Amino acid sequence: MIRQRLAALVEESSDGEVTAREAMASGLPLSALGLTSIARMRLIDAVEAEFGVEVDLSEEGLAVLDDLDLLAARLSDR
Amino acid sequence: MNVDFAAGDCGTGPFTWGQEAIWQTIERTWPDDHYFNFGQVLKLPRARHIREVAAAVGALVERHGSLRTLVAERPGTTRALGQHLEARGRLPVEVVGAAPRDVLDKLAATRFDYERDWPLRVALVTEGDLVTHVVLVFCHLAADGFGAEIAVRDLRMLLVRGRVPGPRPPQPLELARWQAGPEGRRVAATAAAHWEREHRRVPATMFAASSQDAARPPIWRALLASPALDLAVRAVAWRHRVSTSTVLLAATAQLAARYGGHRTSAVLPIAANRFRKDTRGIVSTLSQEGLFTLDVDRPFPDLLRPAEAAAVRAYRSAYHDPADRRRVVAAESERRGEPVHPGCCFNDMRLADPGPADCPPERLDAALEQTTLTWPLSQDRLNCRFCVHVSAEGVSLTADTRYLSRASMEGYLRDLEGLLVETARR
């Protein structure tokens, strides 16, 4: 469920440039799918607002944000 | 001619964070604050009657409160300025038969009286009885570049369809209320913590030493138009899997530190702040400075990954309450016994990012021959010592020649090109 919701947020943040389906299916980093830096900033805001967490903005934290499965796992471990 | 407008909403409130930030900047630049005026030309898909276009302009002003908002003292306060939204009014509109670009330059050439002038100047460019272009000049308190894009897009819709589909756009007075509320304060506190933490390690200012070669007037702008630099930025971004904006910011920061004699670079990147759902469609000034800090004493390619994360943190810190930033800066200045301000900013104004792309060295070499450097602007005052702007025209450096001579400004831009092209070539 979290993974699906995150994929929907990816689509919304990227104005549909990266679809939820692509994000779910590809297994590639979101940046490799074409998630721009503005879309990533929007995704950070959306994840924080929806899940009530503070996204880690270190290099390692951003690597997690770039990986849908890792991000979903971190959020479900909360 | 005049265009009457009559909307349903009015009121007075505090500035939004974005309005407060640009207001401080305007005050520091006065009386050269026309520097911040900017405009757009809308070429109409087909020529239209003046009354049709005038009606669309009226509807645009009714739709976006920002375009009928003035600076005012807030009731019950002494000398505290804020925003005052008028429901009704009369907007002067010029009807002219001249080149649209010249009309824009003329409308943008004089400062706004922020408490009295509507923050939008409009001219209808005509051929015969019909309007071919609409020129809009914005006061920077009313819109930033992205806000102006939305206004122009809506004006086009009003002309073509007679209405703008979708929900009512967010308004600056509502945003100011959200920012002052619990969720806004939570966002502000996170940003303030970043400003406080990073201020501890930044140089007091990036360009402290006198250049010994001040020009007259002291502020100059050099513009480097370099297809080679554009190609190189895309190639470096592609190779290192970072954004083109990060490549430009990291290069700007490393060279600024080299020219200023520092190991740690502090740059204030200007962020659009249109990342949240409630700010995306608003016509207002949301852009503010964030604080980017990076230890740059290492080879440029090694900087790029840490720069990407530092850029995200900096852009997040841009959505902040200027009152918090003032407090942080005052405390740090007091702790050190000297004023602390980077005096070094970066504004990536490109509306479209071409994205990462590889480039063969021979194409870079061929492009290098097309580089030009010009000096399009000079003036007496500016609120910063060193401002890098990236736009479709190229990369410009606007600097105070009392701290960086014109020769050094040119050297800086040539070094920027050289650093990026060399990195792309490897």
Side-chain angles (χ1 to χ4, degrees), chain B residues 196-229:
Chain B
E196 199 161 353
R197 190 173 54 244
E198 299 304 312
H199 258 87
R200 289 262 165 175
R201 66 192 204 97
V202 300
T205 195
M206 290 296 287
F207 297 92
S210 164
S211 73
Q212 312 287 341
D213 192 13
R216 279 195 192 172
I219 309 296
W220 283 76
R221 172 175 293 168
L223 170 66
L224 187 84
S226 165
L229 182 146

Side-chain angles (χ1 to χ4, degrees), chain B residues 189-331:
Chain B
T190 307
H194 171 88
W195 283 91
E196 199 161 353
R197 190 173 54 244
E198 299 304 312
H199 258 87
R200 289 262 165 175
R201 66 192 204 97
V202 300
T205 195
M206 290 296 287
F207 297 92
S210 164
S211 73
Q212 312 287 341
D213 192 13
R216 279 195 192 172
I219 309 296
W220 283 76
R221 172 175 293 168
L223 170 66
L224 187 84
S226 165
L229 182 146
D230 298 342
L231 290 170
V233 166
R234 299 181 67 187
V236 173
W238 183 81
R239 180 104 32 92
H240 294 272
R241 297 189 180 281
V242 294
S243 72
T244 58
S245 194
T246 293
V247 173
L248 283 157
L249 176 55
T252 298
Q254 188 179 43
L255 281 178
R258 192 178 299 163
Y259 272 72
H262 307 284
R263 294 181 143 195
T264 299
S265 199
V267 182
L268 301 165
I270 294 164
N273 281 337
R274 287 174 185 273
F275 310 128
R276 303 173 56 87
K277 264 196 215 163
D278 58 355
T279 55
R280 258 182 244 177
I282 194 170
V283 173
S284 187
T285 292
L286 266 91
S287 48
Q288 286 179 258
E289 291 171 344
L291 177 57
F292 173 88
T293 55
L294 195 64
D295 294 328
V296 292
D297 196 13
R298 53 190 142 165
F300 181 64
D302 298 347
L303 276 185
L304 289 162
R305 298 299 302 179
E308 180 99 328
V312 171
R313 294 192 292 273
Y315 282 116
R316 283 278 281 183
S317 75
Y319 201 46
H320 67 268
D321 183 343
D324 290 335
R325 180 177 166 189
R326 269 198 303 275
R327 173 179 53 76
V328 167
V329 170

Side-chain angles (χ1 to χ4, degrees), chain B residues 365-426:
Chain B
D365 290 339
L368 271 173
E369 289 169 20
Q370 298 165 45
T371 301
T372 60
L373 189 132
T374 51
W375 297 89
L377 181 148
S378 62
Q379 64 187 36
D380 284 314
R381 289 189 69 184
L382 187 65
N383 65 317
C384 191
R385 290 183 184 172
F386 184 95
C387 315
V388 170
H389 292 86
V390 184
S391 70
E393 293 179 316
V395 179
S396 73
L397 170 60
T398 310
D400 188 331
T401 57
R402 287 167 291 201
Y403 300 93
L404 196 71
S405 68
R406 286 185 58 184
S408 296
M409 288 173 67
E410 174 161 357
Y412 177 90
L413 287 173
R414 304 263 184 215
D415 285 351
L416 190 72
E417 182 188 55
L419 173 67
L420 290 164
V421 168
E422 276 315 303
T423 309
R425 213 194 290 272
R426 270 182 230 142

Side-chain angles (χ1 to χ4, degrees), chain A residues 12 40 42 45 48 57, chain B residues 275 277 308 313 316:
Chain A
E12 205 176 299
R40 179 172 56 191
R42 289 176 175 173
D45 272 324
E48 291 194 346
L57 301 180
Chain B
F275 310 128
K277 264 196 215 163
E308 180 99 328
R313 294 192 292 273
R316 283 278 281 183

Side-chain angles (χ1 to χ4, degrees), chain A residues 7 10-12 14-20 22-23 30 33-36:
Chain A
V10 167
E11 177 166 331
E12 205 176 299
S14 67
D15 289 330
E17 286 291 316
V18 180
T19 64
E22 285 172 315
L30 296 174
L33 291 175
L35 192 80
T36 63

